[in-house]
Amino acid sequence: MTDLERFQDPSAIQRVIHTATTIAIVGLSNNELRASYFVGYYLKRHGYRVIPVNPRETEILGETCYASLLDVPERVDVVNVFRAPDALPGIARDAATIGAGALWCQFGVINEQGARIAEEAGLTVIMDRCLKIEHARYAGRMHWLGFNTQRITSVRTGLQ
């Protein structure tokens, strides 16, 4: 059983979100109904450089799509993974090879071996968290509604 808490540290999450500029999304789908597409769209809209990695596509979100992380011709700050957990060790090795700063594994992408490979290469590992949700929580507007302020209220002001 993986101890997920160590891969969900709020300060590490915030550091990754606030320092990253380029995010390679492994498993990004061209299907607008898929979570990966929505996350990529959201991140691009919020100023990140999104690099699609999917061997079945040539372009997603108006960006050139690469078959593998090893084909990406520019620096990658975060490798965001939308793949089955058993693909994670190979993706972690590729993320280490290209010198990425962090390996971010979406909900359900849990693999201890992949996490260990990335950590041993010096990458920050975030696991079983959604990059879009965490961005909204720490850098977007969600915190204006009460998240992470230690106060969520239904008290209404103004007209009753």
Side-chain angles (χ1 to χ4, degrees), residues 8-63:
Q8 300 173 347
D9 176 53
S11 61
I13 289 170
Q14 289 176 68
R15 186 178 67 254
V16 169
I17 287 169
H18 292 300
T19 61
T21 57
T22 303
I23 302 172
I25 303 180
V26 178
L28 180 58
S29 173
N30 206 18
N31 180 342
E32 295 178 15
L33 300 177
R34 301 295 301 254
S36 63
Y37 184 93
F38 188 71
V39 168
Y41 178 85
Y42 172 92
L43 293 171
K44 190 171 176 180
R45 192 160 174 227
H46 282 83
Y48 292 97
R49 165 94 172 92
V50 171
I51 302 171
V53 179
N54 183 333
R56 294 186 202 105
E57 302 291 340
T58 56
E59 183 180 294
I60 301 175
L61 294 169
E63 302 291 338

Side-chain angles (χ1 to χ4, degrees), residues 24-136:
I25 303 180
V26 178
L28 180 58
S29 173
N30 206 18
N31 180 342
E32 295 178 15
L33 300 177
R34 301 295 301 254
S36 63
Y37 184 93
F38 188 71
V39 168
Y41 178 85
Y42 172 92
L43 293 171
K44 190 171 176 180
R45 192 160 174 227
H46 282 83
Y48 292 97
R49 165 94 172 92
V50 171
I51 302 171
V53 179
N54 183 333
R56 294 186 202 105
E57 302 291 340
T58 56
E59 183 180 294
I60 301 175
L61 294 169
E63 302 291 338
T64 300
C65 192
Y66 298 93
S68 127
L69 284 171
L70 302 177
D71 298 325
V72 175
E74 60 190 276
R75 175 154 169 52
V76 172
D77 298 313
V78 179
V79 173
N80 184 217
V81 184
F82 279 93
R83 292 283 316 277
D86 61 353
L88 199 55
I91 294 167
R93 277 190 280 280
D94 289 353
T97 298
I98 66 168
L103 180 69
W104 191 298
C105 308
Q106 289 291 136
F107 290 134
V109 183
I110 302 166
N111 183 299
E112 183 70 38
Q113 180 188 8
R116 189 172 49 256
I117 290 166
E119 281 184 321
E120 287 173 0
L123 280 74
T124 299
V125 177
I126 308 296
M127 193 175 286
D128 199 35
R129 285 286 182 255
C130 175
L131 184 49
K132 180 214 169 293
I133 291 171
E134 298 304 318
H135 179 274

Side-chain angles (χ1 to χ4, degrees), residues 5 143 149:
E5 260 185 52
H143 65 279
T149 61

